[in-house]
């Protein structure tokens, strides 16, 4: 294909279009004005103006996670780039594909502490999968295409392209993307067949197996979820998932044990602890999941499927490691399993299910109902009952409400649940909901929030109004940074140091001030009607759901404890945390 | 401590694109994840292909060493990582420039010892020598220790470079 000469700014836009991008999230500033000018003169790319660069990145994450496509961000140099850092780190931890374009001071000013100069590639090196400082427009087209390749291939992640202002004006040849093999980055997609065979051998012999799946299944695409469902049903094994993997397997299915980990269900965690075989698909044995590693699943053989070799044996030593994309590996595994005569022993599996049913019988997510005060769990239950569906997308902030949402809102499809799992970023949920709503204009998008988290990116109400996005913010308002308070109660003698949400705004009036709608519910009896009212409003809504102030999130594995040492409810005796446990977060 | 937890010293060879920031990526990875760097050397080894070779000596349990290797391999500009301690027999060398100042008996003794280490004198004044000494890191340690009482003034070491034995490339 013949090269076309154009300016750096035009190359950026052309490369985005050639990469299939139709929406970007950004905020202008001095060092990206040429790109904004090029944006002004075209029709193919829609720009969503946020009110803070962090929100641009989270919105792009919500867009990416709800569509499976990479999210794109455009911000200026200096503070524009540094504000994006939290979002980039969030995307890195949760493996979300993002391309973030940052403006930079002109090349001749780099290193002079110029106005709005920051060492963006230096600052973002540890919080991106890769980054580039583009020193010449001649390299720009190639780097743009390479950036999309790196962000979306292998374990997905965020990348940054830092473009000095003079490079945006400079003229150079542009070449359309081609199918070139990357010089160094060629992640393995197909799993090793011998390892897969060995895994199938273990699966066929298992007596107390459990599938433990994660965000990797969602990232692998819809076919991975379908293959997982087929394989799980074929084996008859129980399945649990991490926070990030919710929806890959339907929560309405009988083989589903609920989420595992620190606030996972009793049956999921006990199954992990007592299992003789763990089949980990696209999860990474992180500390929220394992609890005390020394006490983690002592008798299980472990199979680990992951696209990132560095996830293997990082926290937990496994017996069989299969490097590859979940969908590809599951496809091979399913084929080999189907062709094999041996099947797990039925009676052993039946005994295992009997045991699991006994654990289920503990009803670890149960809570004390109330007639005059809204229990946060009840609020999520009702929200789920009234809004659950294939066209509903849920995002969350971080804290107790997030865990209650994970426990009590049940997901049947992948890509419908967006939460900040790895980094735990308060302020993630609302902009992520904006991103999801942009991608799915007719869907019901709800940010389940806390009154503390929501204030971290509340300014985005303005974005929601400008772009007519009917995002719903469902605040479980307990006037506390609830999870902080819960830990202070558990570990610090109930000394609630700075965890009270003092001087809260009137959220109803706040919504109205932005031109949105505010609704408040204070009694269990009015909850359903008000939720229906919220759904009916075709505008952004803040739903201020005033809940029990002192409810804690259970069950819980106290920090430093093992899966078998769960606390089921408010029981001060049970909640003993070791000195070592206190050190953990 | 089980055998799994035993701390081992490993020498890794890392072939990278010689592009801006690549060394910062490698060092940042070690610093950010709390890995040890005992020694690190880097230089371009293929000008036509713009490739550099980094030799890094590190310490850790086998699990940590495996992690370091996997983490290095996932950096985009990294072509290849070879664990020269685990994968195959290899040779390690380090070079040092050692400045010793003194007169009389000590000066004579320093010169005599340098011969035993096959060190070369690369600079001399009436009151000083600079020795160039090459060998395994332990040999350099020993030489430096011997020079200390004889008027050691300055040491500059290259850090370890290493290569696998035999006919194959890394």
């Amino acid at each position: 294909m013949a090269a076309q000469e154009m300016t750096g700014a035009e190359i950026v836009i052309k490369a985005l279009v050639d990469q299939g991008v139709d929406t970007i999230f950004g905020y202008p500033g001095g060092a990206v004005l040429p790109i904004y000018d090029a944006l002004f003169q075209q029709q193919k790319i829609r720009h969503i103006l946020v009110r803070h660069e962090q929100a641009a990145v989270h919105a792009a994450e919500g867009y990416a996670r709800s569509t499976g496509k990479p999210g794109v961000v455009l911000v200026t140099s200096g503070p524009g780039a540094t504000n994006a850092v939290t979002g980039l780190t969030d995307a890195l931890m949760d493996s979300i594909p993002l391309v973030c374009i940052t403006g930079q001071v002109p090349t001749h000013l780099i290193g002079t502490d110029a106005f709005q100069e920051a060492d963006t590639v230096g600052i973002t090196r540890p919080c991106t999968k890769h980054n580039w400082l583009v020193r010449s427009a001649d390299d720009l087209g190639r780097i743009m295409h390479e950036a999309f390749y790196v962000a979306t291939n292998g374990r997905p992640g965020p990348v940054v392209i830092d473009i000095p202002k003079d490079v945006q004006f400079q003229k150079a040849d542009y070449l359309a993307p081609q199918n070139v093999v990357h010089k160094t980055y060629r992640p393995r997609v197909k799993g090793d067949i011998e390892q897969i065979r060995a895994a199938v051998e273990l699966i066929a012999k298992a007596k107390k197996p459990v599938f433990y799946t994660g965000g990797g299944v969602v990232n692998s695409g819809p076919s991975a979820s379908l293959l997982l469902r087929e394989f799980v049903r074929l084996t008859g094994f129980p399945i649990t998932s991490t926070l990030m993997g919710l929806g890959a397997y339907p929560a309405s299915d009988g083989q589903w044990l609920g989420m595992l980990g620190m606030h996972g269900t009793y049956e999921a965690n006990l199954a992990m602890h007592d299992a003789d075989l763990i089949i980990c698909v696209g999860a990474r044995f992180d500390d929220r999941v394992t609890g005390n590693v020394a006490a983690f699943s002592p008798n299980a053989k472990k199979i680990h499927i992951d696209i990132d070799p560095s996830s293997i044996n990082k926290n937990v030593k496994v017996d069989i490691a299969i490097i590859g994309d979940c969908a590809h590996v599951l496809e091979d595994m399913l084929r080999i399993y189907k062709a094999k005569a041996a099947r797990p022993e039925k009676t052993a599996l039946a005994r295992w299910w009997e045991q699991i049913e006994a654990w289920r019988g503990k009803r670890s997510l149960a809570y004390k109902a109330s007639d005059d005060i809204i229990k946060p769990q009840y609020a999520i239950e009702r929200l789920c009952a009234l809004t659950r569906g294939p066209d509903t997308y849920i995002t969350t902030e971080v804290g107790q409400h997030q865990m209650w949402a994970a426990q009590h809102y049940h997901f049947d499809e992948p890509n419908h649940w967006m939460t900040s799992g790895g980094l735990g970023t308060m302020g993630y949920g609302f902009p992520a909901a904006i991103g999801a709503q942009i991608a799915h204009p007719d869907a019901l998008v709800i940010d389940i929030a806390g009154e503390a988290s929501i204030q971290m990116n509340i300014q985005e109400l303005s974005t929601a109004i400008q772009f007519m996005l009917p995002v719903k913010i469902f605040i479980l308002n307990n006037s506390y940074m609830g999870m902080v308070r819960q830990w202070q109660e558990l570990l610090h003698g109930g000394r609630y140091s700075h965890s009270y949400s003092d001087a809260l705004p009137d959220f109803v009036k706040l919504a109205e001030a932005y031109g949105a709608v505010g609704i408040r519910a204070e009694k269990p009896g009015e909850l359903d009607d008000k939720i229906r009212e919220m759904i009916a409003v075709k505008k952004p809504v803040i739903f201020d759901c005033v809940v029990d102030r002192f409810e804690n999130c259970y069950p819980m594995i106290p920090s430093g404890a093992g899966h078998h040492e769960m606390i089921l409810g408010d029981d001060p005796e049970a909640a003993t945390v070791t000195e070592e446990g206190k050190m953990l977060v | 401590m089980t055998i799994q937890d035993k701390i081992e010293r490993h020498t890794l060879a890392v072939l990278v694109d010689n592009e801006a920031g690549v060394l910062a990526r490698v060092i940042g990875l070690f610093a950010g994840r709390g890995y040890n760097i005992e020694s690190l050397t880097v230089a371009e080894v293929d000008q036509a292909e713009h490739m550099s070779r980094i030799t890094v000596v590190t310490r850790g349990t086998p699990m940590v060493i495996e992690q370091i290797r996997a983490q290095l391999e996932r950096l985009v500009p990294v072509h290849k990582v070879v664990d020269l301690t685990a994968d195959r027999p290899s040779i390690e060398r380090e070079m040092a420039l050692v400045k010793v100042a003194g007169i009389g008996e000590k000066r004579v003794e320093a010169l005599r010892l340098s011969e035993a280490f096959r060190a070369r004198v690369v600079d001399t004044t009436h009151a000083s020598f600079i020795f160039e000494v090459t060998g395994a890191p332990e040999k350099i340690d020993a030489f430096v220790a011997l020079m200390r009482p004889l008027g050691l003034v300055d040491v500059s070491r290259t850090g370890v470079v290493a290569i696998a034995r035999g006919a194959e490339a890394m």
Side-chain angles (χ1 to χ4, degrees):
Chain A
M1 195 185 287
Q4 297 167 263
E5 199 189 54
M6 48 181 92
T7 67
E10 287 163 351
I11 288 175
V12 169
I13 302 298
K14 182 79 172 92
L16 290 176
V17 171
D18 285 350
Q19 288 291 340
V21 174
D22 54 20
T23 306
I24 67 176
F25 301 88
Y27 201 102
V32 278
L33 285 177
I35 298 176
Y36 270 87
D37 197 37
L39 206 51
F40 190 81
Q41 300 176 51
Q42 56 84 48
Q43 303 297 324
K44 289 177 178 160
I45 292 174
R46 183 183 187 201
H47 176 272
I48 307 300
L49 175 69
V50 293
R51 300 301 187 268
H52 187 295
E53 289 89 349
Q54 182 194 352
V57 187
H58 293 325
E61 287 185 271
Y63 180 89
R65 205 158 171 84
S66 67
T67 59
K69 297 195 285 187
V72 180
V73 176
L74 174 60
V75 296
T76 193
S77 64
T82 56
N83 276 347
V85 163
T86 299
L88 294 168
T89 311
D90 191 274
L92 185 73
M93 293 283 269
D94 286 344
S95 309
I96 312 295
L98 294 185
V99 175
C100 175
I101 297 160
T102 56
Q104 182 55 278
V105 300
T107 44
H108 72 275
L109 286 180
I110 289 178
T112 65
D113 296 324
F115 177 65
Q116 293 197 328
E117 183 187 358
D119 175 10
T120 300
V121 287
I123 290 168
T124 61
R125 204 173 280 130
C127 64
T128 53
K129 195 172 161 188
H130 196 58
N131 61 16
W132 294 263
L133 171 61
V134 185
R135 289 181 177 277
S136 161
D138 294 330
D139 301 327
L140 186 53
R142 174 185 59 79
I143 289 174
M144 287 290 296
H145 299 317
E146 193 181 333
F148 275 88
Y149 172 83
V150 171
T152 55
N153 280 273
R155 179 175 178 175
V159 298
V160 162
I161 309 168
D162 197 28
I163 312 176
K165 195 169 181 180
D166 53 332
V167 174
Q168 298 170 32
F169 282 118
Q170 201 185 346
K171 288 206 164 179
D173 285 342
Y174 170 76
L175 276 172
Q178 295 154 10
N179 261 341
V180 283
V181 181
H182 193 272
K183 202 160 46 154
T184 51
Y185 189 68
R186 286 170 229 157
R188 180 173 187 151
V189 174
K190 294 283 279 180
D192 181 279
I193 286 292
E194 282 319 304
Q195 294 296 308
I196 295 175
R197 273 186 215 289
V200 169
E201 287 297 322
L202 284 184
I203 290 168
K205 281 192 295 200
K207 292 187 164 67
K208 297 196 280 183
V210 61
F211 278 94
Y212 148 49
T213 63
V217 181
V218 181
N219 273 336
S220 178
S223 65
S225 287
L226 293 176
L227 288 160
L228 176 73
R229 289 162 191 219
E230 190 183 347
F231 196 32
V232 170
R233 281 171 191 152
L234 189 64
T235 55
F237 292 177
I239 174 170
T240 179
S241 157
T242 65
L243 182 72
M244 296 306 294
L246 296 178
Y249 193 86
S252 50
D253 189 90
Q255 281 166 257
W256 171 245
L257 302 184
M259 180 175 78
L260 86 166
M262 185 168 273
H263 293 287
T265 65
Y266 190 69
E267 54 271 34
N269 285 332
L270 268 284
M272 287 293 282
H273 185 265
D274 279 15
D276 70 351
L277 178 68
I278 288 174
I279 307 146
C280 170
V281 191
R284 58 187 177 90
F285 294 93
D286 97 302
D287 59 273
R288 283 304 99 151
V289 157
T290 61
N292 181 1
V293 173
F296 176 72
S297 193
N299 305 314
K301 293 262 186 208
K302 298 170 188 80
I303 298 166
H304 190 178
I305 303 168
D306 204 298
I307 199 159
D308 178 2
S310 78
S311 286
I312 309 286
N313 294 336
K314 180 165 64 181
N315 303 321
V316 169
K317 193 96 184 144
V318 298
D319 300 277
I320 295 179
I322 303 167
I323 312 287
D325 175 70
C326 290
H328 284 89
V329 175
L330 285 170
E331 192 177 11
D332 285 337
M333 206 173 244
L334 200 53
R335 180 171 47 77
I336 292 169
Y337 183 82
K338 279 178 179 167
K340 193 177 157 59
R343 287 285 180 269
E345 204 185 300
K346 279 216 166 74
T347 50
L349 205 53
R351 271 202 302 278
W352 180 227
W353 271 110
E354 241 170 69
Q355 172 64 71
I356 290 170
E357 289 305 334
W359 290 326
R360 261 186 186 159
K362 290 259 188 189
R363 300 184 60 245
S364 61
L365 298 181
Y367 58 91
K368 285 192 196 95
S370 165
D371 287 336
D372 57 19
I373 192 160
I374 300 176
K375 291 286 184 174
Q377 301 95 324
Y378 177 74
I380 303 289
E381 256 176 39
R382 294 316 302 155
L383 184 70
C384 178
L386 296 168
T387 65
R388 190 179 191 182
D391 225 12
T392 301
Y393 294 81
I394 303 291
T395 70
T396 76
E397 310 290 333
V398 168
Q400 285 182 324
H401 68 272
Q402 177 190 28
M403 292 298 112
W404 281 317
Q407 291 173 336
H408 298 275
Y409 202 107
H410 305 294
F411 299 92
D412 285 334
E413 295 301 330
N415 302 100
H416 285 63
W417 159 250
M418 284 143 271
T419 191
S420 171
L423 193 64
T425 311
M426 292 169 73
Y428 165 88
F430 181 34
I434 286 176
Q437 187 82 75
I438 288 283
H440 308 276
D442 300 323
L444 175 60
V445 182
I446 306 170
D447 169 33
I448 298 177
E451 84 291 335
S453 279
I454 192 59
Q455 293 189 83
M456 287 211 183
N457 269 321
I458 192 76
Q459 77 287 345
E460 297 308 316
L461 269 171
S462 191
T463 307
I465 293 291
Q466 181 184 344
F467 294 92
M468 293 182 286
L469 305 171
V471 171
K472 311 293 186 270
I473 302 170
F474 191 83
I475 301 175
L476 294 181
N477 185 346
N478 63 358
S479 305
Y480 276 103
M481 295 158 217
M483 197 57 97
V484 173
R485 193 212 55 216
Q486 180 167 341
W487 279 57
Q488 287 171 337
E489 193 174 308
L490 211 62
L491 297 172
H492 298 281
R495 292 180 296 280
Y496 299 150
S497 184
H498 301 274
S499 54
Y500 179 64
S501 294
D502 213 336
L504 281 175
D506 178 330
F507 284 110
V508 173
K509 282 189 184 153
L510 184 69
E512 286 162 1
Y514 276 101
V517 173
I519 298 173
R520 181 173 293 121
E522 289 169 301
K523 295 287 169 202
E526 60 182 357
L527 193 55
D528 279 23
D529 283 348
K530 293 211 163 168
I531 290 175
R532 286 196 192 93
E533 186 188 334
M534 171 187 87
I535 300 166
V537 177
K538 299 299 171 217
K539 282 174 103 176
V541 176
I542 295 185
F543 191 108
D544 186 15
C545 186
V546 181
V547 299
D548 188 344
R549 288 184 153 202
F550 297 102
E551 191 72 17
N552 281 335
C553 186
Y554 291 111
M556 179 179 186
I557 303 174
S559 53
H563 281 172
H564 57 306
E565 299 165 308
M566 290 199 85
I567 312 173
L568 287 177
D570 274 314
D571 174 6
E573 292 297 305
T576 49
V577 175
T578 59
E579 282 304 309
E580 260 176 58
K582 273 191 194 173
M583 304 284 184
L584 304 173
V585 289
Chain B
M1 207 187 261
T2 65
I3 292 170
Q4 270 296 311
D5 297 323
K6 217 178 105 211
I7 304 284
E8 296 174 356
R9 174 186 181 274
H10 282 243
T11 304
L12 308 176
V14 190
L15 206 56
V16 299
D17 274 337
N18 186 14
E19 59 176 42
V22 66
L23 187 60
R25 285 181 210 283
V26 170
I27 294 171
L29 189 155
F30 275 77
R33 292 188 183 265
Y35 306 141
N36 261 302
I37 296 181
E38 203 160 276
S39 156
L40 183 125
T41 67
V42 55
E44 192 167 70
V45 289
D46 186 335
Q47 284 183 332
E49 295 286 320
H50 299 291
M51 292 221 278
S52 289
R53 180 161 167 148
I54 298 171
T55 309
V56 54
V57 181
T58 185
R59 275 179 188 281
T61 62
M63 215 159 147
V64 167
I65 302 284
E66 185 190 333
Q67 248 316 281
I68 292 174
R69 183 183 179 148
Q71 292 290 352
L72 283 169
E73 273 170 347
R74 104 186 162 133
L75 295 178
V76 170
V78 168
H79 286 257
K80 197 169 184 189
V81 182
V82 173
D83 185 336
L84 290 170
T85 306
D87 297 356
R88 49 185 110 161
S90 61
I91 293 176
E92 284 187 11
R93 287 292 180 271
E94 186 174 2
M95 199 265 274
L97 295 172
V98 181
K99 187 182 286 186
V100 181
I103 49 168
E105 265 309 297
K106 287 190 172 176
R107 181 173 163 84
V108 176
E109 179 64 0
L111 193 61
R112 202 182 60 78
L113 284 171
S114 75
E115 281 162 15
F117 278 78
R118 291 187 199 168
R120 291 202 303 146
V121 175
V122 291
D123 178 80
T124 182
T125 67
H126 289 300
S128 71
F129 288 120
I130 297 174
F131 298 112
E132 176 198 312
V133 59
T134 306
E138 301 75 33
K139 175 180 161 182
I140 302 200
D141 291 345
F143 183 69
V144 170
L146 284 169
M147 289 300 120
R148 205 171 294 281
L150 301 177
L152 180 76
V153 177
D154 237 347
V155 185
S156 177
R157 298 172 69 149
T158 56
V160 172
V161 292
I163 203 160
R165 288 181 185 272
E168 288 97 53
M170 85 174 261

